[in-house]
Amino acid sequence: MGEIVSGTALAKKVKQGVAERVKECEAKYGRVPHLVVILVGEDPGSVSYVTGKARDCGEVGFKNTTLKYPDTVSEEELLAKIAELNSDDNVDGLLVQLPLPKHISEAKVIEAIAKEKDVDGFHPLNVAALWQKQPCLLPCTPQGIIMMLKEAGVEIEGKKAVVIGRSNIVGLPASKLLLDHNATVTMAHSRTKNLAEVTREADILVVAIGKPKFVTADMVKPGAAVMDVGVNRNPETGKLCGDVDFENVKDVASVITPVPGGLGPMTRACLMVNTLECFLRKQDK
Ligand code: NAP
């Protein structure tokens, strides 16, 4: 059976490291990093993510402000608030929880957040910097994937990595980070022909689709490291599950991440890392 890498345990370790640095920040700069999270509407998934982020801020010793707006808020009002927070020196990190109601352009909102406060790493300038190998904030989930692989002792360099999914938030940047670690990367998506043939080649398989139990044991090369990003509801039990058929794939893989308790907590831990980074960059200016 493969090693099950706990994102919960690694996230705890990462957050402890951040918490220690926060104490130093307070002594040296007289204040702690401040993360502002904007929540629009009451989507249960978004409410739960935002609650988790606030809890993590408390754990590491950040100041956290969650600003809640009804889903009827206008784009104009939201953009005006973002502009105000951009120019507030006491705000180090700023994010707007996605998805947003249809009348608000997510692209406009992402672009409105100051690049220096863009803790999610979604701003076009941060994305461009990532693809041009310039200093940037690494998007949280892909950063978490690399940390999980390292924690499990998986060698990335020279390995064949397959990433299923090519979203701006997960698949594309995850592929880029694996490439930067010298893996040979194949990006698969909904039009990929003979997907199982492609995935069976992978030493490292990253799955970010959003379909419960989509990756079955016969799609995985024996000994592969499998990183399951998906967050779904199991249609039979209603419980949280990933994109990978965990029960069967764990017997084939050498390393596998569980859902829940895998990349979810790691994504939030990386958000803490990025917020600290934004704070420190500002102090060093
Ligand atoms: P997304 O924007 O919907 O992208 C899904 C990707 O999967 C697309 O690239 C799509 O291909 C591909 N795909 C869909 N059906 C496929 C199929 N049958 N075969 C191969 N590829 C297929 O989703 P996302 O935002 O990347 O999120 C993916 C999953 O990760 C979701 O479950 C989401 O909830 C979860 N997630 C988790 C975290 C975390 O912290 N753990 C963070 C973010 C997202 P096309 O491009 O061809 O359409």
Side-chain angles (χ1 to χ4, degrees), residues 141 164-167 170 189-190 208-211 214 229-231 264 267:
T141 305
I164 321 180
R166 53 178 169 176
S167 71
V170 189
H189 44 80
S190 66
I209 315 172
K211 295 201 164 133
F214 181 86
V229 182
V231 179
T267 298

Side-chain angles (χ1 to χ4, degrees), residues 181-199:
H181 284 77
N182 298 315
T184 301
V185 184
T186 302
M187 294 186 234
H189 44 80
S190 66
R191 322 272 171 89
T192 299
K193 299 267 184 265
N194 304 322
L195 182 64
E197 271 174 35
V198 176
T199 57

Side-chain angles (χ1 to χ4, degrees), residues 18 22 32-35 57-58 60-64 271-272 275-276:
V18 172
V22 170
V32 297
H34 180 196
L35 174 67
C57 282
V60 299
F62 288 168
K63 181 178 173 191
N64 167 247
L271 180 67
M272 302 299 113
T275 304
L276 177 64

Side-chain angles (χ1 to χ4, degrees), residues 26-38:
E26 199 166 11
K28 195 168 169 189
Y29 305 111
R31 71 176 189 92
V32 297
H34 180 196
L35 174 67
V36 176
V37 177
I38 297 181

